[in-house]
Amino acid sequence: MTVPPEKTAVFICHCSGNISEHVDIKAVKKALKAEGISVFDYEYLCSSPGQDLIKNKIAEKALERVVIGSCTSSKHGLLFKKCVRDAGMNRAMLEIANLREQCAWVHPEKADATEKAITLLRGKLKRLGHVEPLQDIKVDISPHALVIGGGIAGITAALNLADNGVPTHLVEKDSSIGGQMAKIGKIFSPDKLAEECAMCSLSPLMNEVAAHPKITLLTRTEVEAVRGSVGNFTVTLRKKPGYVRDSCTACGRCSRVCPVLVENEFNCGHKDKTAISMRFSQSVPKTYSIDPDHCLQLNGKTCEKCAEACRAGAIDFWQQAEVLELNVGAVIAATGFKEYDASLKTQYGYGIFENVLTQMELARMLGINGPTKGKLVRLSDTCNLDAGNSSVGNSTTDSFNAPPNAFTNVPANDPTLNSSESSSDNENLSDPPVPGRIVMIQCVGSRDEKAGGIPYCSRYCCMAALKHASLIRKKYPDTEITICYIDMRAFGFYENYYRAVQDMGVSFVRGRPAEVVQKSDKSLIVRVEDTLNQKILELPADLVVLSAAMLPSSGTREIAGVLNVSQDETGFIKERHSKLKPVDSSVDGIFVCGTAQGPKDITDTIAQAGLAAARARAFIADSPKVLVHELASINQLTCTGCGDCLSCPFDALSFSESGRVVVDPLLCTGCGYCTEICEKGAVQVAGFTKSQLKAEIEGVLEAGDLLGFVNSGISSLTCDNIGNSVLSYPSNVKLVKVSTGLVVDKELIMHAFRHGAASVLFVEDPPDNPRAEVIFPLALRHFEKLKEELGADGSRLHFKKAYVPNTKGLAGTFTNLAREGEMIR
């Protein structure tokens, strides 16, 4: 459709100097006005006055097409679409040119950035000449929510949703909810100098979850797949068997007779539980479960001692895994963190010297339900404990048996032992001495640019060290504690806690230790330079405690792939915008909170979980919802009904009762696979038609340019992150967003070559989520086919996977290929 220039306008945002300081907006306006285009600029187009400007000009000039030059569409795209819709314009009549992340921020030379800005806007203007109005497709949102992860973040989010009337499924892969908070014993608050019992805060919430009529609790359950579309997610779950029925009374008889000791994840790997156990004594649900990897009976050996001891008849060795399917409207990922593997820093001797441990292991030691029942001991001294009194492990002939635990004679998670039994056993123990000197080393793995380290601050480590120093000094006032630090980070009201710990007599040395060495008596020496006094110190220690970094859990990395949401360069789930949408993921209807999103303490985790629940509830309440992604469309006049397109990998196309090919909007991902296989060209992806892409190519290209066809998913965000990371590449790199590379055919490639492209690069999402696992091999095969069809010109075609962490690598690829184009020019 031909639209007269006076019916089209361009609006340029200064973005508070982010754009205007790098792009000469006056020069841009002059160039476009010379082509008969109305151009308006404003300091903040995303503000209310900025949006009013757009609406008023649409009404005043009866505009039919609008181009906005601003930041990336992933930030304010929906806002601007709503703006033009409110002005009576169809959302298809709006195009957004990324003048910030893919222009101003990546081209340091103002002249280069200005010239490119003109081409980007010109490309969008030409593209608008070939658009057709898009029909809004509305879907009802399922009124149910899913929370993944049963730590304090997941518990808080689930309770907030349920209390507001949203039926919620809470999924936890372990046998009990509680997460990492259940391990740490004592917690601190910004407004208090005293430490509180973690379980006193956590346990009531756990029990509230179990009793809430709006919450379905699914433990030992993992998310296998998520299908469907925004507001209607079909989630496949796998619930692993616990081999114990719900009739379990948690009496503990089964655990006491079990002959197999196993490593206790809850106690940081100490062998102090049996193959049938609860995660900890306050577990919810309060039911025992069997570890299938270590149970004799489940591994083909005759035992059944637990079944014989169980008076409730709850043992069921024949339980099988269950596959469940849920339909939910919103998902919250609260999959937590894991502790950095301190053994990677070999200079500190973790995993080599017995008396080197992490803060989490110290937390378990100080916990009254920990491996030493709260006693502070040197790990090397625990060999003096009388292991002969162990009440478990009485079989000596089975290879599954482990030696009795060095810390305690009974399973630490057995809640049924009475005080007389415990004290009777402890009479036979030689009480090891309390460590007299403790050195804590901060930033182990954190703030470390060297191999094996991570660059960010883990936020909680300084306060964890202060908390444990406080607890130890209060209980053992003669213990000397030294904290070696780079910077002590006690933000806000935590500064009061920091001062209180200093007043207790805890010493602080500013410097990162070089090494820890062990003496013949198992004591340690910490060698460190005190950078304040400029002295080399050798600090004697009975225990060395490492404040290890906070990393995304394996569950976080896995669920990000299953949910098809973006991750940052370190593996945490990336929020859509750190200030405007701090709990929204890159996929509408999927939210993130707690340490699945990034390092934080319990206070911030709870606050963010509440926000995620509020956002999820608001999303569910906004039903019906307009689908924002573009779908395949069928030209019924051209379609021959051959059925080739029915091979859609997502089963989105089918024959209707009248024999026509129709598209299911809930299944279609807009990938463009159907456009490749339709020989008649009857199928195109709305918003990415061949005529639109041709027009944009004509507008952006100049001789010698590198043209990149960028997947609108992870790849597009990765390109944006190049600018966010203050990296650069040549200004003759021109990027055109496509649904996937499958919509780009030979005709488009040749069109690009005719209009000056020296080479063409396909930037595709990596196969690390369910959608991309299907599309990536199809896109790669399509690329190879194009190279073959192009013959000699095939050498000008390139392919690149765009991982979010690899922004520097992608910028390097742009630079290398662009320089080749400059030589051709």
Side-chain angles (χ1 to χ4, degrees):
M1 184 194 320
T2 303
V3 179
E6 62 268 19
K7 295 295 183 181
T8 304
V10 172
F11 296 85
I12 302 175
C13 183
H14 290 230
C15 196
S16 189
N18 285 310
I19 294 174
S20 58
E21 288 177 5
H22 302 272
V23 174
D24 186 342
I25 292 180
K26 287 183 179 180
V28 174
K29 292 175 69 174
K30 182 179 179 180
L32 295 179
K33 283 182 176 180
E35 299 174 13
I37 305 297
S38 297
V39 186
F40 307 94
D41 63 302
Y42 192 73
E43 188 68 25
Y44 306 100
L45 281 179
C46 57
S47 67
S48 181
Q51 294 177 66
D52 287 341
L53 171 67
I54 297 171
K55 293 175 186 177
N56 292 338
K57 292 300 179 182
I58 290 174
E60 176 188 324
K61 294 180 171 291
L63 298 176
E64 297 179 12
R65 303 284 192 275
V66 166
V67 174
I68 294 177
S70 62
C71 60
T72 173
S73 59
S74 65
K75 181 176 181 181
H76 288 315
L78 293 178
L79 176 73
F80 288 133
K81 284 181 180 180
K82 182 180 183 300
C83 175
V84 300
R85 187 175 68 243
D86 291 345
M89 183 180 289
N90 187 276
R91 61 187 172 96
M93 306 307 164
L94 167 69
E95 286 288 343
I96 299 176
N98 190 345
L99 301 189
R100 191 177 74 175
E101 284 83 356
Q102 294 182 17
C103 187
W105 280 358
V106 291
H107 305 314
E109 295 295 329
K110 194 165 188 176
D112 292 341
T114 301
E115 182 182 350
K116 182 173 178 180
I118 294 171
T119 65
L120 294 180
L121 291 167
R122 188 178 288 133
K124 295 301 183 182
L125 286 166
K126 284 182 172 291
R127 199 179 200 277
L128 277 176
H130 298 268
V131 299
E132 295 292 337
L134 291 174
Q135 181 182 357
D136 285 345
I137 299 175
K138 296 183 178 181
V139 296
D140 292 324
I141 297 178
S142 170
H144 298 262
L146 170 68
V147 177
I148 307 171
I152 186 58
I155 289 171
T156 301
L159 287 173
N160 272 267
L161 284 166
D163 286 344
N164 282 280
V166 179
T168 302
H169 292 82
L170 177 58
V171 170
E172 168 57 48
K173 67 177 182 178
D174 283 326
S175 59
S176 169
I177 57 175
Q180 300 279 21
M181 183 175 172
K183 294 182 180 181
I184 60 178
K186 295 292 183 70
I187 56 176
F188 51 86
S189 301
D191 57 336
K192 296 179 181 178
L193 298 181
E195 298 82 18
E196 302 172 278
C197 166
M199 286 307 300
C200 293
S201 299
L202 182 63
S203 187
L205 297 178
M206 294 167 60
N207 292 318
E208 189 177 346
V209 164
H212 205 295
K214 290 282 187 180
I215 296 178
T216 302
L217 177 59
L218 298 168
T219 53
R220 301 191 309 279
T221 303
E222 297 187 38
V223 178
E224 286 199 334
V226 176
R227 306 184 306 278
S229 63
V230 173
N232 278 278
F233 299 108
T234 300
V235 183
T236 302
L237 307 174
R238 180 171 294 273
K239 184 177 176 62
K240 296 179 181 178
Y243 306 101
V244 179
R245 300 187 187 98
D246 293 340
S247 57
C248 172
T249 62
C251 67
R253 292 185 181 89
C254 55
S255 182
R256 291 200 294 274
V257 300
C258 179
V260 182
L261 278 172
V262 299
E263 288 187 358
N264 186 352
E265 173 274 333
F266 186 76
N267 272 343
C268 301
H270 297 309
K271 287 193 174 180
D272 58 3
K273 75 171 186 176
T274 60
I276 181 168
S277 61
M278 285 196 299
R279 189 164 184 258
F280 52 96
S281 57
Q282 296 88 6
S283 288
V284 173
K286 201 171 181 65
T287 305
Y288 278 69
S289 60
I290 295 176
D291 183 342
D293 294 330
H294 297 93
C295 173
L296 301 181
Q297 188 69 28
L298 291 174
N299 283 276
K301 302 184 180 182
T302 303
C303 179
E304 296 193 10
K305 290 185 177 181
C306 56
E308 295 168 1
C310 181
R311 296 178 182 177
I315 308 299
D316 182 2
F317 293 114
W318 303 102
Q319 274 189 1
Q320 300 293 318
E322 301 176 60
V323 177
L324 310 172
E325 277 205 348
L326 306 176
N327 180 250
V328 299
V331 178
I332 296 177
T335 42
F337 76 97
K338 68 177 181 180
E339 196 177 33
Y340 174 81
D341 181 3
S343 65
L344 295 175
K345 296 298 174 183
T346 55
Q347 65 267 35
Y348 297 143
Y350 181 78
I352 303 171
F353 305 146
E354 294 171 83
N355 295 319
V356 178
L357 67 164
T358 67
Q359 291 288 359
M360 182 62 79
E361 290 168 338
L362 179 61
R364 293 305 309 130
M365 182 188 291
L366 296 176
I368 59 171
N369 62 346
T372 63
K373 306 302 183 187
K375 294 179 181 178
L376 182 66
V377 296
R378 285 203 325 167
L379 303 186
S380 60
D381 290 340
T382 58
C383 62
N384 295 325
L385 299 178
D386 180 9
N389 292 327
S390 177
S391 62
V392 294
N394 53 6
S395 169
T396 59
T397 60
D398 193 87
S399 61
F400 281 85
N401 272 335
N405 177 250
F407 288 88
T408 181
N409 291 330
V410 294
N413 62 333
D414 190 341
T416 64
L417 296 173
N418 59 43
S419 58
S420 62
E421 290 174 320
S422 181
S423 60
S424 174
D425 283 341
N426 287 337
E427 288 174 0
N428 297 315
L429 302 179
S430 57
D431 211 10
V434 175
R437 298 162 300 184
I438 297 175
V439 175
M440 297 182 180
I441 301 176
Q442 300 305 100
C443 297
V444 176
S446 295
R447 304 177 67 194
D448 189 347
E449 300 285 351
K450 296 179 181 178
I454 53 176
Y456 57 79
C457 168
S458 292
R459 295 189 62 186
Y460 82 106
C461 316
C462 288
M463 295 308 301
L466 293 175
K467 176 193 72 173
H468 290 147
S470 174
L471 290 172
I472 293 169
R473 288 286 294 176
K474 287 175 182 176
K475 190 173 182 179
Y476 307 102
D478 294 333
T479 300
E480 297 176 7
I481 301 175
T482 302
I483 298 178
C484 299
Y485 68 98
I486 301 175
D487 299 294
M488 289 302 294
R489 297 188 168 182
F491 52 89
F493 294 108
Y494 288 129
E495 190 72 20
N496 296 330
Y497 194 95
Y498 180 21
R499 290 197 184 100
V501 174
Q502 288 176 307
D503 292 342
M504 290 180 180
V506 174
S507 300
F508 293 84
V509 173
R510 186 175 183 271
R512 175 173 270 167
E515 65 175 342
V516 175
V517 296
Q518 181 175 269
K519 298 170 66 176
S520 58
D521 63 352
K522 300 295 181 72
S523 64
L524 304 163
I525 297 292
V526 178
R527 291 179 177 147
V528 59
E529 179 185 0
D530 184 339
T531 58
L532 291 179
N533 297 320
Q534 297 183 338
K535 293 181 179 180
I536 302 298
L537 305 178
E538 290 195 347
L539 305 176
D542 299 307
L543 279 180
V544 170
V545 185
L546 308 180
S547 295
M550 182 180 285
L551 301 178
S553 67
S554 57
T556 295
R557 295 177 183 274
E558 291 167 7
I559 207 62
V562 171
L563 296 175
N564 191 26
V565 295
S566 300
Q567 297 170 265
D568 65 19
E569 59 273 12
T570 53
F572 291 104
I573 295 176
K574 177 73 174 170
E575 74 281 2
R576 185 167 294 184
H577 190 278
S578 59
K579 297 175 182 63
L580 302 179
K581 293 184 178 179
V583 296
D584 292 45
S585 77
S586 57
V587 176
D588 286 340
I590 298 179
F591 305 90
V592 61
C593 63
T595 52
Q597 181 268 331
K600 56 182 62 69
D601 63 12
I602 292 171
T603 302
D604 287 347
T605 292
I606 292 171
Q608 194 180 47
L611 175 59
R615 292 285 296 149
R617 180 176 176 270
F619 182 86
I620 289 173
D622 185 25
S623 180
K625 198 168 201 70
V626 177
L627 293 181
V628 295
H629 69 279
E630 315 303 358
L631 308 174
S633 62
I634 312 295
N635 186 334
Q636 299 295 346
L637 296 177
T638 311
C639 177
T640 62
C642 67
D644 288 348
C645 59
L646 269 60
S647 61
C648 167
F650 301 100
D651 298 322
L653 288 90
S654 61
F655 283 119
S656 67
E657 292 182 0
S658 62
R660 290 186 167 192
V661 176
V662 293
V663 178
D664 185 337
L666 297 181
L667 296 178
C668 179
T669 66
C671 69
Y673 174 72
C674 49
T675 68
E676 178 198 12
I677 60 179
C678 181
E679 296 181 356
K680 299 295 182 181
V683 191
Q684 295 202 66
V685 177
F688 298 103
T689 65
K690 188 176 294 186
S691 60
Q692 287 174 299
L693 294 176
K694 277 186 175 181
E696 187 168 1
I697 287 169
E698 293 169 11
V700 300
L701 281 183
E702 297 175 332
D705 283 351
L706 164 66
L707 175 63
F709 288 110
V710 180
N711 186 306
S712 60
I714 301 297
S715 300
S716 181
L717 292 173
T718 306
C719 291
D720 288 348
N721 282 340
I722 295 175
N724 295 332
S725 303
V726 201
L727 300 171
S728 64
Y729 51 81
S731 61
N732 65 328
V733 176
K734 308 293 175 60
L735 305 179
V736 172
K737 188 184 294 188
V738 293
S739 54
T740 73
L742 292 168
V743 301
V744 181
D745 61 8
K746 180 182 176 182
E747 184 181 346
L748 280 174
I749 299 293
M750 296 305 299
H751 190 73
F753 288 156
R754 284 194 295 271
H755 283 81
S759 55
V760 172
L761 172 67
F762 285 73
V763 186
E764 200 62 52
D765 288 5
D768 58 1
N769 62 68
R771 179 177 182 267
E773 283 177 358
V774 174
I775 292 171
F776 180 82
L778 298 175
L780 184 58
R781 187 184 67 189
H782 177 63
F783 167 77
E784 296 292 349
K785 179 183 174 184
L786 287 174
K787 280 183 69 77
E788 185 177 341
E789 290 177 352
L790 288 168
D793 283 332
S795 62
R796 299 163 67 184
L797 219 55
H798 307 276
F799 189 93
K800 178 75 173 178
K801 283 186 290 189
Y803 291 93
V804 170
N806 196 27
T807 52
K808 189 176 293 185
L810 184 58
T813 298
F814 287 164
T815 300
N816 294 334
L817 293 177
R819 285 174 178 166
E820 290 178 12
E822 289 172 353
M823 289 188 286
I824 294 173
R825 182 168 58 182

